Amino acid sequence: MEFFTLHDFMTYSKGITYLVMGAILVFMPVYWLYLTDRDD
Amino acid sequence: MAISRRKFLGCLTAALGTTTGVGALAHAASNKDFKGYPDSFGVLHDSTKCIGCRKCEEACNTVNELGKPEKPFDDLTVLDERRRTDEAEYTVVNKFNGVFAKTQCNHCQEPACASACFVKAFKKDKTGAVIYDESLCVGCRYCMVACPFNVPAYTYNDPLTPKVTKCTLCHPRIIEGKLPGCVEICPKEALIFGKRSDLVKLAWTRITEKSDRYIQHVYGEHEMGGTSWLYIAGVPFDQIGMREDLGTTSAPELTSGALASVPIVVGLWPVLLTGVYAIAKRKDKIAKEEQETAVQDAIDTATEEMNKQLAQLKDKMTKEQQTAVANEVKKALEEAAKKAEEEAKASEEGDADPADAASGEEEDK
Amino acid sequence: MENNSNQPYNWFTPFNILTAVVLGVGLVLTIARFGWGIGAVTNLDNNNPWGLWIGFDLLCGVALAAGGFTTSAACYIFGLKRFHSAVRPAILTAFLGYALVVFALHYDVGRPWKLPYPIFVSQGTSSLLFEVGLCVFLYLTVLFIEWTPAAFEWLGFKNLRRIVVKLTLLLTIFGVILSTLHQSSLGALFMIAPSKLHPLWYSGYLHVYFFISAIFAGLSMVVFEGSLAHKWLHHKMDDTHLSEADGVVLGFGKAASFIMMGYLGIKVIGLAVDNNWHYLGTGWGAWYLVEIIGFVLLPAILYSVGAREKKLKLIRIAAAWTVLGIVLNRFNISMIAFNYHLPAADRYFPSIPEIGVTIFIVFVGITVYRFITAKMPILYEHPEYKEEH
């Protein structure tokens, strides 16, 4: 990808970042359940 | 350096060519510094040459089909009013103590409107124009809040298809190889169309050559990260209605800090909040366990005490038995037996009143 | 009881009549707005694209609905179980608040039928308004789910209710994250316009200021709304709610007071960082001091006196005062100190129909709140689910 304006760059990079955020929000609760499911 | 149509066509081909070429790639590798589209166009307005004829307003009206104006374009009295761009006029000329200033979209290098738009309705084009796509626009008008030059206007009185209006740099005409309407008609060459990089040089050349005639400032070279429209003038710009306190920070830079904190919150809040929750839960659990232990302890102590007392009583009774006189032994034994029987009965009935227990027994029989 | 069995419900109370009038006028204004355009009912113009509908309906609406996430976080994340009875009313207010914000936006934006565009059609990810829109959309969904147990109890859907109750912690954490993001981003919206917002209100910390002030706004709103509910809906409350209510008022008052002092601290830091002290001597400076001393410091002190002396009445007054302060702050940023450089003739003041629509929307909220609290277990616990927590 080539970018000529900071705005275009940000639109692209923030787009990816939003997807990462979504992934984190799904992953973290699942990981917490995995981490604690053997607790009494 | 006013350019002819043929020259301009050459520029256009060059511009369209390089943007798809290899030259731009090296530049894009750096993600910290963006210089804008190379060979993008702009317009230089030399305020010292402007005579306030309103021909540019008229051409703009024709090109953009904005309809009949309230006052005809040859009526120059409107120049004394303070006008701004709106849905009927994409460009206006105002007079300040005999000096004229033209206002229209400045086509920022890093447009605040595009940065603000949450549906990507604004786009900085490789020609330099900031173009607007009505079909995406929700009409939140955040672009108008964001624009430091107060340029975009809104068709507030249209109930069904309201839209943002602003100068397009005559983008459709540029694509066709034509000059923007206002530039083409200007009789005094106060407006010069060309590559922005060339225009910056031209502006400084004029300022340097006639330093007594110009203020040492090319407005738009750095304002808000730079604009495609550039201005030179003989009086300070804040005296002709142009703000000089805008700074050089571009719109996306102004919001990048706050935007950058968003993903970090998403990354760390789940950790922090779940941690706080786990600690609170653990405290609750410990408190509960402690309470249970305390209750158990209390029960244990009570039981022990009772057993002790019982043992003592037994002991005492045994001793009494041993030391008692024969008659009394018999009596005492009888009494003890009776007492034990009663106690047993009472404990069988729980806490119930002995009288009730007795009557209950009778009823059972 | 509103619906006493041996006494027919009296529809013609003064408040009901007022409600009917407001809703009627609102309907007329709605027709005018959608039939003749925004320009027909508002004083908005090209220099002032955002007015009362953004300044009050959006900014104040969202800030004052922050009670939902603060209360549920206190109860479910921080483990302060004694606030449990305050959670449901707070969630309901938040849900209604956000629903009304979205409802009001339909009046303000030019083409409301395109409101789903930023999320589903063309994502302008460089915009803070995109962030706000996405979060408000998601949080409205979260609040709706958080509120459904009350509806399920009313309707008797036990299985559905059990599933949602199991998700409580997850929904609460989601709610706090989304609230942090959009509360702060609402402030950050104005960071793109340093040349328009007066330097005393413009700051690189605007997003932090909005988030922190939303927390004490939410807490104050819970107390404020609680005192209104106690006055008018006392009969709907069960013993648990009534016995915990004083503790909620005291606890929230104490928390709000401390957070407000923290907020004052970071406001002063903002002055120091941007070296804005000299503005304090100007007229704008005086107005700024009215806001942060008159509507942050003083109510914070009143809160502290109320909390120390255990005088609930003082805390309730402080809560209403703080709510006013939040409205003042949001008005300052979106309208009063915004476009401060424009000549007086170009400044904005809302039109009567504009104010009318805002009042209409508030009354729609009150009416729905009254309906829901009358029908569903909000201010009391449903007898079948009492032992669960």
Side-chain angles (χ1 to χ4, degrees), chain C residues 57-107:
Chain C
D57 301 16
L58 175 67
L59 295 184
C60 296
V62 168
L64 298 178
F69 92 88
T70 46
T71 312
S72 56
C75 179
Y76 297 126
I77 297 177
F78 294 88
L80 304 170
K81 296 277 163 55
R82 63 204 164 93
F83 296 146
H84 190 267
S85 64
V87 171
R88 270 206 183 169
I91 293 283
L92 174 66
T93 322
F95 172 55
L96 288 181
Y98 279 87
L100 290 174
V101 164
V102 175
F103 179 58
L105 280 179
H106 283 75
Y107 286 76

Side-chain angles (χ1 to χ4, degrees), chain B residues 149-164:
Chain B
F149 305 106
N150 271 341
V151 163
Y154 201 66
T155 56
Y156 285 104
N157 290 314
D158 181 350
L160 286 177
T161 55
K163 59 175 190 285
V164 172

Side-chain angles (χ1 to χ4, degrees), chain B residues 110-245:
Chain B
E110 296 287 354
C113 52
S115 182
C117 185
F118 69 162
V119 284
K120 294 193 279 193
F122 288 95
K123 191 168 146 273
K124 177 75 173 173
D125 186 72
K126 57 179 175 258
T127 58
V130 176
I131 45 183
Y132 165 71
D133 182 355
E134 185 193 331
S135 70
L136 292 173
C137 182
V138 180
C140 70
R141 307 186 297 283
Y142 186 29
C143 50
M144 297 163 69
V145 168
C147 179
F149 305 106
N150 271 341
V151 163
Y154 201 66
T155 56
Y156 285 104
N157 290 314
D158 181 350
L160 286 177
T161 55
K163 59 175 190 285
V164 172
T165 61
K166 72 167 195 71
C167 156
T168 61
L169 197 62
C170 283
H171 179 254
R173 285 169 61 90
I174 292 180
I175 296 290
E176 290 171 25
K178 295 179 192 161
L179 286 168
C182 53
V183 176
E184 193 179 61
I185 206 166
C186 182
K188 290 286 169 189
E189 288 190 356
L191 297 173
I192 304 145
F193 183 86
K195 273 202 253 173
R196 182 181 185 270
S197 49
D198 293 340
L199 293 176
V200 174
K201 283 179 211 148
L202 173 67
W204 279 111
T205 310
R206 285 195 185 179
I207 290 174
T208 322
E209 280 173 2
K210 292 182 181 157
S211 58
D212 54 332
R213 199 173 159 176
Y214 292 102
I215 293 294
Q216 301 288 307
H217 181 182
V218 176
Y219 193 95
E221 185 182 7
H222 300 297
E223 270 74 12
M224 291 299 289
T227 60
S228 292
W229 274 70
L230 301 164
Y231 305 82
I232 47 177
V235 291
F237 289 100
D238 57 2
Q239 289 177 21
I240 52 171
M242 296 164 81
R243 293 188 67 177
E244 291 196 272
D245 58 347

Side-chain angles (χ1 to χ4, degrees), chain C residues 175-190:
Chain C
V176 176
I177 294 170
L178 293 169
S179 295
T180 309
L181 294 180
H182 71 262
Q183 295 285 3
S184 56
S185 292
L186 276 176
L189 285 181
F190 294 91

